[in-house]
Amino acid sequence: MYATTDTLATAPAAQGGRSRRLALYTLCAGMLMIVLDVTVVNVALPAIQDDLGFTSSSLAWVVNAYLIAFGGLLLLAGRLGDLLGRRNVFVAGLVVFTAASVLCGLAGSQEVLVIARFIQGVGGALTSAVILGMIVTLFPEPREQAKAIGMYAFVASAGGSIGLLAGGVLTQAISWHWIFFVNLPIGVLTVVLAVKLIEKDKGLGIGKGTDVPGAVLITAALMVGVFTIVKPAAELGWTAPRTLVLTAVTLVLLAGFIVREATAANPLVPLRIFRSRTLTGANLIQALSASGMFGIFFLGSLYLQRVLGYDALEIGLAFLPTTVVMGLLSVRYSEKLVMRFGPRRPLIVGLVLIVVGLALFTQAPVGGNYVVHVLPVLALLGLGGGICFPALMGLSMSDVKPEDAGLASGLIGTMGEVGAALGLAVLATLSATRTASVADTKPALDALTDGYHLSFAIAAVIVAAAVAIAVTVMRPAKQGEVVEEELALEAA
């Protein structure tokens, strides 16, 4: 079933339809702040480099410091939401993120900016990790839940392309400082609305899951893992000694975490949660699809900038069709598709459209025309994302007990973040390697385009693997389950 009866039992009965919608808008506003931050900063990096004197290598830490804290703390933050109350964690994350944004905007040195970005990542993890769990609790009825998740999925997946446009406008019209200052009024307003509109949940209590060793192990493993991906793997290569050593450290920490969770009386992450084939499959699909999509947004921006000569504002406008198409489908039609066909079929169709779009991008030439070579790709990515991501978010929470909703929400976010970091590192490294290998035999722009084409093709293969998982792993185990789902959808 799309929404469990356990989840239904925990819905805040006191909140009416209008108040729940306003609460949803507040949660989505908080998520949009977090999602925008990554791409807004990417657009402003050249201006930041010129102003603060970053070298090309040290500039990467403006992004990496955020990613390490964000990816490392998502899982812990989700579990803290279950224990301490999800609204408490959401509000605390917003306060930390907003305060760190102001510090980023005021930064007059490299060190202050990097430290502030790390703190931003902490706030971003606390805020975003609990949102999906709060949404499925607010909207237990299947049709309303599907519509709410559609809006959340649109913000989570399309917000990045909005960030490209916003970053270009703010950086060119005012200065890079304002990409951070703009978070202050939005953050304060969102905190006020969250306290007013979202009912306070008690949480299980810290005594129900205080697993300090487990928390230390998983946070350390994720932080070391993300650091390995974004730093030595991306800069030195996957077979470099430093990369291999840090990969081994990550695996040892993960192994220690699994042993700890299997033996702890109150584990941070109960391993029973992975018995759900739906939850496990959804998280694998999230990691793979994020790997392909995030890497393509980054490398696609580089193609537009370096090959076609677009500036920051033109890049943002170029990606706008993806946002429009994805938003229209996610907010208006995803709920109807899920209720009509169930979540699995829209998921598969959407992923296939993304694969087609990525494959089509491999044909974009050096002298490419936006309408002919780029717009169809972005339209397909928006179409596929708008169809599949709401269904995927719903599936990731459909088989979860209410007391584990925060954990499951943090888990799907963690898989997306780690998948995005891994995909970006792999695709960017392979693209650069390919470009370097043909640089002596081809003109510079042709060599760059060759590198991008290879990354687009590999991204298509990665998302195709997600399609395979959706077709096989997400298939109902018994015929009776299929009949039950069809009867439920017919009743709805």
Side-chain angles (χ1 to χ4, degrees), residues 381-408:
L381 295 182
L383 187 62
I387 293 173
C388 77
F389 286 136
L392 179 61
M393 295 299 104
L395 282 168
S396 70
M397 302 296 293
S398 64
D399 209 15
V400 176
K401 295 181 179 179
E403 62 268 22
D404 293 329
L407 171 62

Side-chain angles (χ1 to χ4, degrees), residues 11-157:
Q15 289 196 265
R18 182 174 180 272
S19 118
R20 283 187 298 140
R21 285 195 300 273
L22 292 174
L24 173 64
Y25 300 153
T26 302
L27 292 171
C28 287
M31 189 66 191
L32 184 60
M33 282 179 62
I34 309 304
V35 174
L36 285 177
D37 191 73
V38 177
T39 48
V40 163
V41 172
N42 280 339
V43 172
L45 285 177
I48 293 173
Q49 182 178 20
D50 292 339
D51 192 19
L52 299 183
F54 280 97
T55 64
S56 296
S57 58
S58 63
L59 184 65
W61 280 104
V62 177
V63 175
N64 293 346
Y66 180 89
L67 289 177
I68 291 168
F70 187 79
L73 291 171
L74 269 173
L75 194 56
L76 175 59
R79 192 53 175 168
L80 286 176
D82 293 330
L83 302 177
L84 303 177
R86 290 170 205 138
R87 194 192 76 168
N88 292 336
V89 172
F90 176 75
V91 171
L94 283 174
V95 171
V96 172
F97 183 87
T98 304
S101 296
V102 175
L103 184 58
C104 287
L106 295 173
S109 68
Q110 299 176 18
E111 294 77 13
V112 171
L113 181 58
V114 170
I115 292 171
R117 287 286 288 161
F118 185 90
I119 299 172
Q120 256 196 322
V122 174
L126 291 171
T127 300
S128 60
V130 296
I131 291 177
L132 190 55
M134 296 170 76
I135 288 175
V136 298
T137 302
L138 275 170
F139 297 92
E141 193 275 324
R143 186 178 294 277
E144 287 187 336
Q145 187 180 106
K147 186 177 293 186
I149 288 177
M151 180 171 290
Y152 165 82
F154 162 64
V155 171
S157 54

Side-chain angles (χ1 to χ4, degrees), residues 439-491:
D440 293 335
T441 59
K442 292 187 176 183
L445 291 182
D446 290 278
L448 273 175
T449 305
D450 264 17
Y452 297 143
H453 284 176
L454 176 63
S455 293
F456 299 155
I458 293 173
V461 172
I462 292 172
V463 181
V467 175
I469 293 174
V471 170
T472 56
V473 176
M474 307 300 282
R475 181 181 296 278
K478 301 176 183 178
Q479 183 63 29
E481 295 179 39
V482 180
V483 174
E484 179 183 338
E485 180 182 31
E486 289 177 351
L487 289 173
L489 291 171
E490 183 179 347

Side-chain angles (χ1 to χ4, degrees), residues 281-334:
N283 277 275
L284 290 173
I285 293 170
Q286 169 78 337
L288 292 169
S289 58
S291 295
M293 287 286 284
F294 190 82
I296 289 311
F297 275 115
F298 181 79
L299 292 168
S301 298
L302 290 180
Y303 168 77
L304 293 176
Q305 179 187 28
R306 296 180 179 178
V307 178
L308 300 188
Y310 285 28
D311 61 27
L313 183 57
E314 288 172 333
I315 291 172
L317 291 171
F319 277 94
L320 199 56
T322 301
T323 305
V324 173
V325 174
M326 193 178 294
L328 183 64
L329 283 168
S330 298
V331 176
R332 189 178 181 105
Y333 296 107
S334 64

